[in-house]
Amino acid sequence: MLEYVPGLAGVPATKSKISSIDGEKGILAYRGYAIDDLAENSTFEETSYLLLNGNLPNSSQLSLFEKKLKSNRRVKYNVKKIMRDLPATGHPMEMLQTAVAAMGMFYAGDECLTGGDFCEDVNYVQNMSVKILSRMATLVAMWQNIRRGYDPILPRDDLSYAANLLYMLDGKEPDDYLTRVMDACLVLHAEHTINASTFAALVTGSTLASPYLVMAAAIGTLAGPLHGGANERVVEMLKEINGPQNVQAWLDKKLANKEVIWGMGHREYKVKDPRATYLQTMMEDWVKTRGKLSKLFETALELERACEDRLAVKGVYPNVDFYSGILYTEMGIPKDQFTPLFAVSRSAGWLAHWKEQLTDNRIFRPTQIYTGEDIRLYGPIENR
Ligand code: COA
């Protein structure tokens, strides 16, 4: 008898060497390196190299990788043109999915292979990973100006990945501190074992679809509020609470109505998500360094405390989305760009999994437990 497991909880769907989670101890590691170690010491470029290739690069490998990323920051005029035609009121995740899928058409040919033997072509997979990783940031940042009717800010080749992303978002060159904060955010969100969007990437990749379609599938999956879209909801929720003094009454009401508290809970962690711990520390540092109190942060701290009393028994603690949106808000990033930024960094993990899937590919085709009608005869419409 086949056992049905809702949400495939605890069912291994793949084997992977890319990242690991110890949900009891609250440890996340990329290729064996603990996430806080990487967030503290690495850059997004270096972490992406690690995820894609399995080991940290030496200095010449890193500078070559950085050079390739920089040289692929520009996107074709046609991609910009299609973005200009999209409604300014649309959600940036819909824009991103559209633009990434459209790139598959505008870069047709050598850059957009599908089927055939490409999965054995290590160079193709590697080159496409660099191109997509680089262009993801460009698309998200370009949308800031395009949706307001202005020309997008062109990428700069003299800035790091994080600094260029911030620069393209608002045209101001970020200081070292801001760049470091963005870099750490990118590192923290880059990979997280086989979550829903990574699974979507694997399923699409397993059919030998083009890498653009693999990414488009993953972007669509990340957008939902139960996954990457939760960071936006957290900020809306904290604004609605409107200050730490209102937390307890607000929480009691929500839990009595069996509503979800955004940014809380995770299938894999039974303790606080280590990324939430790191982001909270970053936020504390931000308040100290910038010398400005954050009402959202004060409210979040109180909400975490109140949730501990009510939800810890169920193993529900803050996840990555609980503090990230607050930090992005303080950095001046618009709320609807939080999840697209998540997609930019997670593209490193998606691409690493795509590569891993192709090295030993078998199409995903699970089974189901049928609960419908037995075989029956077709009756003419006048007899129904
Ligand atoms: N708020 C309130 N209760 C929550 C909760 C939350 N955010 N997350 C889980 N719970 C409760 C569930 O109601 C359930 O309670 P019950 O046993 O009394 O029915 C219990 O904890 C187990 O949760 P479950 O829904 O089975 O967990 P899951 O693994 O299926 O879902 C999430 C995981 C992430 C989808 C879920 O925790 C959630 O919806 N969180 C909010 C959205 C979010 O922040 N997503 C980003 C994830 S990184």
Side-chain angles (χ1 to χ4, degrees):
M1 181 67 179
L2 291 172
E3 193 201 348
Y4 165 56
V5 183
L8 298 181
V11 178
T14 191
K15 285 185 182 176
S16 179
K17 295 188 166 115
I18 300 170
S19 64
S20 59
I21 295 173
D22 182 332
E24 301 294 332
K25 294 194 183 129
I27 298 171
L28 165 65
Y30 299 169
R31 304 276 189 190
Y33 295 96
I35 188 63
D36 24 2
D37 198 3
L38 291 171
E40 195 66 32
N41 298 303
S42 186
T43 61
F44 183 60
E45 291 90 324
E46 188 183 58
T47 296
S48 300
Y49 183 100
L50 170 71
L51 291 169
L52 287 166
N53 297 291
N55 285 305
L56 286 168
N58 62 29
S59 53
S60 59
Q61 286 167 329
L62 180 60
S63 68
L64 184 63
F65 187 69
E66 287 171 340
K67 210 168 137 199
K68 283 188 188 161
L69 281 170
K70 283 179 178 168
S71 66
N72 279 292
R73 281 183 182 160
R74 281 166 179 72
V75 296
K76 280 190 178 175
Y77 173 74
N78 287 341
V79 181
K80 278 183 225 166
K81 210 164 133 226
I82 216 168
M83 287 171 70
R84 281 188 213 279
D85 285 339
L86 296 173
T89 48
H91 196 283
M93 283 299 274
E94 312 243 20
M95 173 288 297
L96 188 61
Q97 190 184 44
T98 307
V100 168
M103 282 203 298
M105 300 187 81
F106 294 125
Y107 291 93
D110 290 355
E111 264 205 31
C112 187
L113 301 185
T114 165
D117 298 329
F118 81 76
C119 42
E120 273 143 44
D121 185 346
V122 180
N123 285 338
Y124 173 74
V125 173
Q126 197 65 18
N127 285 339
M128 286 315 301
S129 297
V130 169
K131 284 179 195 294
I132 291 175
L133 193 55
S134 191
R135 292 177 192 152
M136 286 284 289
T138 306
L139 295 177
V140 169
M142 270 171 40
W143 184 240
Q144 265 312 92
N145 264 13
I146 289 182
R147 66 173 160 178
R148 291 183 298 190
Y150 298 116
D151 283 333
I153 294 160
L154 289 177
R156 274 180 44 184
D157 299 343
D158 58 330
L159 298 176
S160 70
Y161 194 100
N164 176 61
L165 174 56
L166 286 165
Y167 166 73
M168 283 189 72
L169 278 167
D170 69 1
K172 288 185 235 138
E173 191 174 328
D175 62 24
D176 288 348
Y177 180 67
L178 193 56
T179 303
R180 190 59 217 136
V181 169
M182 178 50 102
D183 226 339
C185 288
L186 291 169
V187 168
L188 288 169
H189 288 87
E191 160 63 8
H192 206 229
T193 75
I194 184 167
N195 49 78
S197 56
T198 302
F199 188 38
L202 289 187
V203 173
T204 311
S206 81
T207 69
L208 304 185
S210 84
Y212 291 106
L213 294 177
V214 170
M215 298 303 279
I219 292 165
T221 312
L222 185 72
L226 294 187
H227 193 7
N231 50 17
E232 250 189 78
R233 303 289 171 110
V234 169
V235 168
E236 284 161 12
M237 173 184 79
L238 295 172
K239 284 189 175 156
E240 180 193 315
I241 297 174
N242 195 24
Q245 72 286 358
N246 302 322
V247 161
Q248 195 62 57
W250 180 91
L251 181 67
D252 291 345
K253 199 168 148 205
K254 288 281 161 183
L255 292 181
N257 291 338
K258 300 207 173 308
E259 287 182 54
V260 161
I261 313 304
W262 300 108
M264 286 278 162
H266 200 283
R267 174 75 57 79
E268 293 292 310
Y269 294 109
K270 295 301 153 230
V271 294
K272 189 166 171 179
D273 182 332
R275 301 166 300 172
T277 306
Y278 199 87
L279 284 159
Q280 181 182 344
T281 311
M282 284 170 74
M283 199 47 228
E284 277 156 12
D285 192 67
W286 178 277
V287 170
K288 255 190 248 147
T289 309
R290 294 294 203 231
K292 219 174 96 209
L293 282 177
S294 161
K295 187 171 163 188
L296 288 179
F297 186 46
E298 298 296 312
T299 311
L301 289 171
E302 180 55 23
L303 182 58
E304 178 180 349
R305 197 208 49 72
C307 280
E308 175 128 25
D309 293 342
R310 304 287 305 275
L311 295 173
V313 281
K314 296 184 182 178
V316 173
Y317 290 91
N319 60 48
V320 67
D321 295 312
F322 195 70
Y323 289 108
S324 63
I326 305 171
L327 190 52
Y328 289 149
T329 304
E330 297 301 332
M331 288 162 77
I333 292 166
K335 183 163 59 72
D336 63 0
Q337 290 280 40
F338 300 168
T339 317
L341 284 181
F342 192 158
V344 168
S345 59
R346 185 54 59 83
S347 56
W350 292 334
L351 290 160
H353 282 275
W354 173 61
K355 181 178 174 184
E356 191 174 62
Q357 177 68 29
L358 294 180
T359 56
D360 187 18
N361 189 49
R362 189 169 187 205
I363 188 169
F364 276 91
R365 203 326 180 173
T367 192
Q368 64 168 15
I369 294 170
Y370 179 64
T371 58
E373 301 286 347
D374 280 341
I375 295 294
R376 49 184 169 162
L377 285 179
Y378 178 89
I381 198 161
E382 58 277 13
N383 295 348
R384 290 175 215 160

